[in-house]
Amino acid sequence: MKYLPAILSEDHPSLSATERAYATIKRQIIELELEPGAHVTKSTLARRAGASTMPAREALTRLQRDGLVQALPRSGYRILPVTLKGTRDLCAFRRLLEVEAAGLAAEIGCPERDLARMAELLSVTYETGDPASLDAFLRANLEFDAIIANRCGNDMLAQAVIRVFDELERVLRITLKSLPFSEPAAHERREILEAIRDRDPAAARAAMDARTRTAQEQIIDQLVSHASLAEVSISVT
């Protein structure tokens, strides 16, 4: 697989100090160890990343470009909150990208080993309130989509899809805490797989459009309807 979302990327000894600090802090934000809306200092983040001041500063510059942190005048940094507008925009952008990626992957065709792996990933479920099973589900879900992105034949499109996954994962970790596993959603993913296997671009686009629209509705409903989500700084702006 050429491009990987952060959840599937492995630490590598050849990473520079800045790359290692960036990856570590980013994972802590995505996995909600650093909560949305939290105020933190550069020294605190450097300590959490096991990095010195300069790599931490450079990592924070990259995280600001990613839209995950905000520099505050003379008072450190803020982990940017998840907002309803931002989530809607993210889900809509995801739909545009993934619908096209699915159609192109169906047109080009996927090797049998990728199709077999996608079928295997469809068997992964999760139990509400079980962090380990949720983590396994997120890894499987994002790997399924990453296979499609990497088989679309367009490197720029694939990279854009993968970048969206890193932002989407944080939202999913918030919403799936109280959202039971959806059998209909699993069926929608299977329809995508079957359309790609059949080399049917129109069916693949339609199936991905249905799947991503359903996901968006579920995500927004969870953010709006559960008062308990206030603790992770959901904003209506």
Side-chain angles (χ1 to χ4, degrees):
M1 192 180 294
K2 192 171 184 181
Y3 302 108
L4 292 173
I7 193 173
L8 300 177
S9 299
E10 296 182 1
D11 194 10
H12 196 278
S14 65
L15 290 177
S16 68
T18 295
E19 290 169 332
R20 195 179 300 278
Y22 168 76
T24 300
I25 298 170
K26 185 174 182 178
R27 286 310 305 162
Q28 291 181 11
I29 293 172
I30 289 173
E31 294 182 4
L32 307 177
E33 292 180 37
L34 289 166
E35 293 187 355
H39 288 72
V40 291
T41 64
K42 181 169 58 184
S43 60
T44 297
L45 292 173
R47 185 170 61 254
R48 292 180 70 105
S52 59
T53 301
M54 184 59 70
R57 180 186 297 121
E58 293 172 350
L60 284 163
T61 298
R62 290 180 61 182
L63 290 164
Q64 288 179 74
R65 289 199 296 266
D66 290 346
L68 292 174
V69 302
Q70 175 187 27
L72 302 173
R74 298 178 297 280
S75 59
Y77 295 84
R78 181 174 71 131
I79 309 302
L80 283 173
V82 173
T83 69
L84 289 176
K85 181 183 186 307
T87 301
R88 287 193 185 98
D89 289 350
L90 177 63
C91 289
F93 187 47
R94 173 214 188 177
R95 185 170 68 252
L96 290 172
L97 296 176
E98 286 214 87
V99 166
E100 183 60 17
L104 290 172
E107 183 177 334
I108 295 168
C110 285
E112 186 56 41
R113 66 178 180 278
D114 283 352
L115 296 172
R117 177 58 178 164
M118 290 166 71
E120 180 183 350
L121 293 167
L122 287 176
S123 66
V124 181
T125 64
Y126 69 91
E127 294 291 335
T128 305
D130 180 356
S133 71
L134 177 57
D135 190 71
F137 174 76
L138 285 171
R139 292 177 66 88
N141 204 31
L142 293 176
E143 183 182 344
F144 179 93
D145 285 295
I147 291 172
I148 296 171
N150 279 284
R151 291 298 178 182
C152 77
N154 184 315
D155 284 354
M156 292 187 69
L157 176 56
Q159 290 180 70
V161 171
I162 298 305
R163 285 196 297 271
V164 165
F165 290 164
D166 288 343
E167 294 185 58
L168 185 65
E169 185 192 339
R170 183 167 71 139
V171 177
L172 291 173
R173 286 184 179 276
I174 293 170
T175 57
L176 293 182
K177 283 182 176 181
S178 54
L179 183 66
F181 176 76
S182 171
E183 290 292 350
H187 178 71
E188 289 175 338
R189 289 193 294 275
R190 186 167 296 281
E191 288 188 333
I192 295 167
L193 170 58
E194 291 173 354
I196 292 174
R197 178 182 283 125
D198 292 342
R199 302 285 296 272
D200 187 336
R205 287 187 172 94
M208 183 63 84
D209 183 71
R211 181 271 184 103
T212 51
R213 284 181 184 275
T214 298
Q216 178 174 349
E217 291 171 2
Q218 292 176 332
I219 288 168
I220 296 301
D221 285 349
Q222 286 297 105
L223 293 182
V224 169
S225 64
H226 287 264
S228 63
L229 294 177
E231 68 186 25
V232 291
S233 299
I234 301 302
S235 169
V236 297
T237 59

